[in-house]
Amino acid sequence: MDPQAPSAEAPDTNRENTAARVDRAEEAAQGAIREKDDALAMLDAVLESAPVGLALHDRELRIVRMNAMMAAFVGRPRDDALGCSLHDLMPAHAVLLEGLLARVIETGLPEMNVAMSGRMPACLETERHWLASAFPVHGGASEGEGVGLVIVDTTERKALEGQLLQAQKMEAVGRLAGGIAHDFNNMLTAVMSYSDLLLQDLATTDPRREDVAEIASAARRAAALTRQLLAFSRQQVLQAWPLDLNTTVTEIEKMLGRLIGADVDVVTRLEPRLGIVKADPGQIEQVLMNLAVNARDAMPEGGKLTIETANVVLDDHYVRAHPGSVAGDFVMLSVGDSGSGMTPQTQARIFEPFFTTKERGKGTGLGLSTVYGIVKQSGGNIWVYSEPGLGTTFKIYLPRVDAVPVVVSAPERRAPRHQGSEVILVVEDDAAVRTVVGRILRTGGYAVLEASNGTQALHICANPDIGVDLIITDIVMPEMGGREFARLLGDLRPAARMLFMSGYTEFGVSHNTLLAPGAAFIEKPFTMEALARKVRDVLDGSTADGG
């Protein structure tokens, strides 16, 4: 056979090669179609799963397409919404949104985060907040150009921002209140002490005694107000120890009947295996009493007061919804009433000092602010839940601790002895307070030395020829405060007895953190009687509880 002759099989081979190429081309085309379909399916899945409302509008601002979230916003099935205008779907917001879309079509530029609020057709009961954004869309030939609309529900974020702003405002007000109360306490210490000295010098028949007594009474009332301000500002000195809240509630329950009246039914629901918290028992009692009085005022015709305790675990979800909280194990103390309830506007201000809804003369507006400060200084949080006509519940969360509760026995009663002959060093930067404290002590027979700060006091104590039986020192002073002075004094006179005094703690920390355990402490403002008794107790070694 001639090798140059054409093969009879060549045409068939060429046809086979051509067919193979066609098959491969068709397979590639089908693969591209599948990839496109997969991409479109993925895009559809993303649009449908997005936690924001998405809609595509044509140039006449008619709905071409929307996702499930946008359909939920407008409260219409998507098939019913296609071809509709925003006036048809969201008449309350149509002017704002259509103006937004029209500007994007005109300029070709996106517009972002336009705030809007109100009620959507799908949720007419509650006012909500949104951010709306619009952007130009260059679609395929069938759809032409259009404009996209994105709506993000920011109601929860808005609420969290409001809570954060409220917390910041309360912090600023607390710092202001603490500073005022500290300075005022120094002045009240002088007023109360000099009033006591005057009363001591005046004969029982002297008509001026009544005037001086009124001055002293007014000073005591002012002192009560400053204590509440210090509680709110978290700058009071707490004496905290491991505490079983069930015990506190049980003891308070015995006196609530007399406090709130027989027409209020008191119900307690106490967790039998309740965890332990670290708190000041007296302050927790004040919290319960203030909340009970507040509940009574909300139930003028009687009702039910419910006090509950429980062990709770606060998780990350709770913390995100309650700014300022931390996750962990807590003990909850809840006080609820069946009274008139509160509006959201009232709830936003109830912890502010001097804010009250009561008529003039019926309250100072410091009860709930005191509660707020005590809870915060104890390391906890407090939240209020209320609606008009449906009552109010306060929930307090205090950190759970691994400790055995402390049982405090009543102090032994002794015959009062308020005089002596010992040498006492008074360390106080406020001249008026230093002078009156020295005068009170000298009246009691003591020898008194004075210093205006810790540095001066150290120079006095460094002199071995000067004997000092007791040192009374303020905690917060310029140059050297009482705590630093006490630390340095330990090297000079390790056996020295000390009595700390303060109108507040500058650092806003608890007594046990600021002072050594068992340190003696007296709170400003104090009366002449209280100072004399405390000094004698410390000198006699009969006080070691810091109280």
Side-chain angles (χ1 to χ4, degrees), residues 31 42-43 50 53 79 140 155 164 208 210 241 244 324 368 376 456 476 521 532 544-545:
M42 177 61 71
L43 179 60
D79 292 342
T155 305
L164 178 59
R208 292 172 296 177
E210 185 176 345
W241 54 67
D244 182 352
L368 290 179
K376 287 290 186 178
Q456 290 184 11
V476 181
F521 174 80
D545 59 3

Side-chain angles (χ1 to χ4, degrees), residues 245-246 248-250 252-257 260-271 288 291-292 295-296 299 302-310 332-338 392-394:
L245 290 183
N246 282 351
T248 305
V249 171
T250 302
I252 286 292
E253 186 182 6
K254 300 173 184 176
M255 63 180 88
L256 282 182
I260 62 179
D263 56 348
V264 175
D265 184 22
V266 179
V267 177
T268 58
R269 301 190 182 103
L270 307 182
E271 166 62 45
L288 282 167
L291 291 178
R296 179 203 62 193
M299 300 181 290
K304 183 165 71 172
L305 174 68
T306 304
I307 303 176
E308 298 182 64
T309 60
M332 183 199 73
L333 173 63
S334 171
V335 180
D337 65 66
S338 60
T392 299
T393 297
F394 290 90

Side-chain angles (χ1 to χ4, degrees), residues 145-164:
E145 293 188 347
V147 59
L149 175 65
V150 178
I151 296 180
V152 181
D153 191 328
T154 60
T155 305
E156 282 72 25
R157 189 176 77 181
K158 197 86 171 177
L160 292 178
E161 289 174 352
Q163 292 179 21
L164 178 59

